Amino acid sequence: MTSASADSLSPRESVLLERQSIALNRFDDNTPDLYRRPIELPDKVADWIAGFGGRSLFLTGAIGVGKTHTAWKTCHRWLEAQYAPGMPWRGSPVIKTYRSTALFDALRPDAPDGEGGSLVKKLQTVDLLFVDDLAAARASAWTQERLFEIFDERYIRRRPVIITCDVLPSQLSEVTGPRVASRLAEMCGSSVVRLTGPDRRQVAA
């Protein structure tokens, strides 16, 4: 949204500005404290947000280079951009974020919270799905089938995902299964961003 004064905004722009503020505050409230600190996004990530058209984003790089922090900030900026003038209004965008290990646990047939198929349907349809550290988890055959249901539907409907991972999409077959790895490779296409630098955790220590 622009920084124009409230008096210069149309009624529609005023409503969108208010809804944007509510949505961003809600998202920030659910963002871990560690990832609320401002950071500069790589140019390629900023370009993905500005030119968004259904393509997904894959952030890769060594452990500790800031992939997760970058992804949280990207989700925030993506959400902010959905309220920009000229964007088609389809209601408040829904973002779902999951660490891969927690997601795989939730997809198990014996998951204690009993989400099962309802979770699959939610993750098929949310406006943006962020899965963090995808290669950190080990999937069973059952989980790979559920992942295929989620990612195939998002692939068909051109619903974006943001993935962080320390390997490339083509190297994910053992975790996600070859069908999901293939779809991710196409969904992300040229929007594979490699982050570099030292392990920030070790530097901080």
Side-chain angles (χ1 to χ4, degrees), residues 7 21-22 36 43 65 69 72 80 85 102 108 118 128 162 167 176 182:
D7 291 341
S21 177
I22 292 170
R36 294 185 189 183
D43 290 344
V65 297
H69 198 158
W72 277 100
E80 184 178 26
R108 285 167 31 205
S118 65
L128 178 64
I162 295 177
V167 301
T176 64
S182 173

Side-chain angles (χ1 to χ4, degrees), residues 23-37 68-69 71-76 79 95 97 130:
L24 291 174
N25 287 336
R26 184 184 300 121
F27 180 79
D28 289 343
D29 286 344
N30 290 317
T31 299
D33 290 344
L34 183 63
Y35 304 125
R36 294 185 189 183
R37 178 173 52 84
T68 302
H69 198 158
W72 277 100
K73 285 301 177 185
T74 301
C75 288
H76 178 104
L79 180 60
I95 301 175
T97 66
F130 162 33

Side-chain angles (χ1 to χ4, degrees), residues 45 48 56-61 134 161-170 172 184-185 188-189 191-194:
V45 174
W48 177 81
S56 296
L57 179 67
F58 197 98
L59 301 174
T60 188
L134 185 53
V161 299
I162 295 177
I163 301 292
T164 69
C165 194
D166 55 3
V167 301
L168 295 171
S170 59
L172 277 172
L184 279 175
C188 298
S191 299
V192 176
V193 180
R194 187 176 192 86

Side-chain angles (χ1 to χ4, degrees), residues 29-153:
D29 286 344
N30 290 317
T31 299
D33 290 344
L34 183 63
Y35 304 125
R36 294 185 189 183
R37 178 173 52 84
I39 57 170
E40 288 293 323
L41 293 179
D43 290 344
K44 198 169 182 180
V45 174
D47 291 344
W48 177 81
I49 296 167
F52 173 75
R55 184 169 291 280
S56 296
L57 179 67
F58 197 98
L59 301 174
T60 188
I63 293 171
V65 297
K67 300 183 294 294
T68 302
H69 198 158
T70 299
W72 277 100
K73 285 301 177 185
T74 301
C75 288
H76 178 104
R77 288 272 304 277
W78 177 90
L79 180 60
E80 184 178 26
Q82 302 314 297
Y83 293 86
M87 287 292 289
W89 179 249
R90 302 186 182 93
S92 297
V94 177
I95 301 175
K96 192 71 175 174
T97 66
Y98 259 106
R99 187 180 295 111
S100 65
T101 48
L103 173 60
F104 287 17
D105 280 346
L107 291 174
R108 285 167 31 205
D110 58 346
D113 55 13
E115 285 189 285
S118 65
L119 177 59
V120 169
K121 293 185 184 301
K122 286 179 188 175
L123 300 188
Q124 286 176 331
T125 57
V126 294
D127 297 288
L128 178 64
L129 173 62
F130 162 33
V131 181
D132 186 37
D133 212 359
L134 185 53
R138 293 292 174 264
S140 65
W142 170 275
T143 303
Q144 287 186 347
E145 289 175 4
R146 305 292 78 73
L147 288 175
F148 175 74
E149 292 180 48
I150 293 166
F151 283 100
D152 186 55
E153 181 68 14

